């Protein structure tokens, strides 16, 4: 892994994968059923949320924040830099949880890294939930949407970052900002594409 500033979010440095990293050794040989090390790469939804939060610190200032499906932890790190009271960064990959801790320390901010699927539990004790790139698979999208609806009913503010993946719950999304960012698997030379920050709202009947 190399340390590098995140494209579009140069305020944040991350441990970043490169061709010689050999990260597949953490999960085997990339055989069927094995999840790739998503946390080691940049995803557009996380990048656009981090950019938006840093540009609009009032979004998180003084709030308790949950970074759901945190990956590298970039969104949670941005929230702490922007003045959040506390951040929990949750992921289901134990290696992601380690990476979140390393990246938070690299950026000199405290972030609580948590291992587990919070979507199967009750709404957490936070003021704001940030969700980046969790709508790429249909069953996951349904589960996340149901969880976010519960959180919305508990009066938790929710922001979603996404480049327009197939299973976005559009009826619940209100666009609030758009930025050009690179996406998962794309190098720095790849053209950046528009990605959107949404406010998650209750769908109209």
């Amino acid at each position: 892994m190399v340390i590098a500033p995140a494209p579009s979010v140069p305020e944040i440095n991350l441990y970043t994968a490169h061709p010689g990293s050999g990260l597949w050794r953490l999960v085997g040989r990339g055989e069927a059923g094995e999840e790739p090390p998503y946390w080691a790469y940049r995803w557009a939804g996380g990048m656009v949320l981090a950019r938006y939060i840093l540009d609009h610190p009032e979004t998180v200032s003084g709030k308790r924040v949950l970074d759901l499906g945190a990956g590298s932890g970039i969104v949670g790190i941005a929230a702490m830099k922007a003045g959040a009271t506390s951040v929990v960064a949750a992921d289901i990959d134990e290696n992601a949880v380690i990476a979140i801790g390393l990246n938070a320390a690299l950026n000199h901010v405290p972030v609580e890294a948590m291992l587990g699927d919070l979507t199967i539990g009750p709404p957490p004790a936070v003021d704001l939930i940030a969700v980046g790139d969790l709508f790429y698979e249909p069953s996951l999208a349904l589960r996340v949407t149901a969880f976010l609806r519960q959180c919305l009913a508990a009066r938790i503010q929710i922001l979603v970052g996404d480049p327009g993946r197939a299973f976005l719950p559009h009826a619940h999304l209100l666009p609030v900002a758009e930025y050009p960012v690179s996406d998962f698997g794309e190098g720095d030379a790849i053209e950046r594409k528009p990605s959107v920050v949404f406010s998650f709202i209750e769908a109209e009947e």
Side-chain angles (χ1 to χ4, degrees):
M1 304 287 279
V2 296
I3 296 173
S8 304
V9 196
E11 300 94 326
I12 297 176
N13 289 303
L14 298 174
Y15 288 96
T16 305
H18 60 89
S21 295
L23 290 173
W24 275 107
R25 289 175 294 181
L26 294 174
V27 293
R29 299 180 179 274
E31 297 173 354
E34 291 181 327
E35 291 289 342
Y38 289 138
W39 52 268
Y41 298 91
R42 299 180 288 264
W43 285 65
M47 300 275 284
V48 75
L49 277 170
R51 182 68 271 155
Y52 177 77
I53 287 169
L54 289 171
D55 286 350
H56 301 274
E58 69 279 2
T59 304
V60 298
S61 181
K63 295 180 180 179
R64 301 164 298 169
V65 176
L66 169 63
D67 180 3
L68 184 65
S72 67
I74 187 172
V75 178
I77 291 168
M80 286 304 299
K81 283 182 170 286
T85 301
S86 63
V87 168
V88 174
D91 203 283
I92 61 171
D93 187 326
E94 61 184 10
N95 291 310
V97 171
I98 295 170
I100 291 164
L102 292 172
N103 284 326
L106 181 64
N107 288 277
H108 310 291
V109 293
V111 171
E112 179 186 350
M114 177 181 292
L115 178 64
D117 183 359
L118 301 191
T119 66
I120 60 177
V126 298
D127 305 302
L128 183 143
I129 299 175
V131 184
D133 294 295
L134 287 185
F135 299 99
Y136 57 87
E137 191 273 331
S139 62
L140 174 62
L142 286 172
R143 191 169 78 251
V144 171
T145 300
F147 173 71
L148 295 181
R149 291 189 65 186
Q150 292 181 50
C151 295
L152 194 66
R155 300 185 180 279
I156 299 172
Q157 182 183 357
I158 302 164
L159 291 177
V160 173
D162 203 280
R165 303 199 193 282
F167 304 104
L168 276 173
H170 290 284
H172 291 280
L173 300 178
L174 178 67
V176 296
E178 181 179 295
Y179 294 90
V181 296
S182 57
D183 196 13
F184 174 71
E186 297 181 351
D188 293 342
I190 299 295
E191 181 181 359
R192 298 177 183 181
K193 302 173 183 177
S195 291
V196 181
V197 175
F198 302 93
S199 178
F200 188 92
I201 60 174
E202 190 56 67
E204 295 184 4
E205 297 294 337

